[in-house]
Amino acid sequence: MTGVNLVDCSEKGCYVEGAMLTDVTVDGLLVEEAMPLKLAGCVFHRVTLRGELGQIMIRPKLHMAYRQSQPSYDAANSAAYAEIDWALDISGARGCAVDVQGIPSRLIRRDPETQAVMTFEQALGGAWREVDLAGTPFGVHAKIILETGAEDMVLAADHSSANFAHQVAKLAELRKLGCVLPD
């Protein structure tokens, strides 16, 4: 999919799998509650997500019915990410948190106040466990990094949450303790 601009759209239970998304902008997306937009095994190249967004889940793994193809997708996606200038811009995303796994964080443009990067080494170091992360998804994200062996992951405060300010404060605390990369 190339050169697509979607403005103030809605979706209900959509699932995009194994696509190459290039020069795509989504500016405002209403998502059916409890049915996030799922993007699995896709490659992102200059994709911008901004405005009010519902829940979006980006995952590196294909649906279980296609798992036999996973090694081919992993190799192709790694090769693609080695060649591109940037993959995903979530710096202007508002609304629900955009949950990103499988895209190297160095290729993600983000808002440093509300989004941070935790590396595998930082998750493994465990200093994040000293921070009371109740009311945030960050402890779960650290565990996902450890369970999957991911190189890193973007932690994003949820703009739609009643405790958004609390989440931003916890990101700042994690940054101060060296649990996420400095910006």
Side-chain angles (χ1 to χ4, degrees):
M1 188 182 319
T2 302
V4 176
N5 291 308
L6 302 171
V7 179
D8 294 330
C9 295
S10 63
E11 71 86 37
K12 182 177 181 179
C14 290
Y15 196 91
V16 178
E17 189 164 41
M20 175 71 167
L21 306 170
T22 302
D23 295 323
V24 173
T25 298
V26 177
D27 189 350
L29 179 66
L30 178 64
V31 174
E32 179 82 16
E33 213 169 307
M35 297 185 78
L37 171 60
K38 296 178 184 174
L39 302 133
C42 297
V43 171
F44 294 76
H45 183 202
R46 295 187 310 263
V47 173
T48 301
L49 302 176
R50 67 177 175 232
E52 293 296 321
L53 302 171
Q55 186 178 4
I56 299 173
M57 295 174 60
I58 298 171
R59 298 290 183 268
K61 301 296 180 197
L62 300 171
H63 186 272
M64 289 191 332
Y66 304 105
R67 288 284 162 88
Q68 72 277 6
S69 301
Q70 191 67 53
S72 298
Y73 274 85
D74 290 345
N77 290 1
S78 291
Y81 285 135
E83 299 294 322
I84 64 174
D85 50 349
W86 61 276
L88 182 64
D89 184 341
I90 57 171
S91 62
R94 301 292 176 258
C96 284
V98 177
D99 187 354
V100 180
Q101 295 178 29
I103 300 174
S105 66
R106 70 182 186 286
L107 299 175
I108 299 174
R109 295 177 175 182
R110 56 190 175 74
D111 172 9
E113 182 181 348
T114 63
Q115 301 160 345
V117 174
M118 180 181 282
T119 66
F120 179 81
E121 291 77 18
Q122 289 167 320
L124 188 62
W128 57 272
R129 288 183 169 95
E130 299 171 19
V131 180
D132 179 6
L133 295 176
T136 79
F138 309 139
V140 170
H141 289 153
K143 291 175 184 175
I144 289 170
I145 293 169
L146 293 172
E147 290 169 3
T148 63
E151 179 181 327
D152 55 30
M153 186 176 190
V154 173
L155 311 182
D158 183 347
H159 284 267
S160 68
S161 174
N163 67 354
F164 171 71
H166 169 75
Q167 292 182 27
V168 171
K170 291 301 177 178
L171 281 178
E173 191 175 344
L174 289 169
R175 192 172 284 113
K176 184 177 178 182
L177 291 173
C179 302
V180 296
L181 295 177
D183 281 306

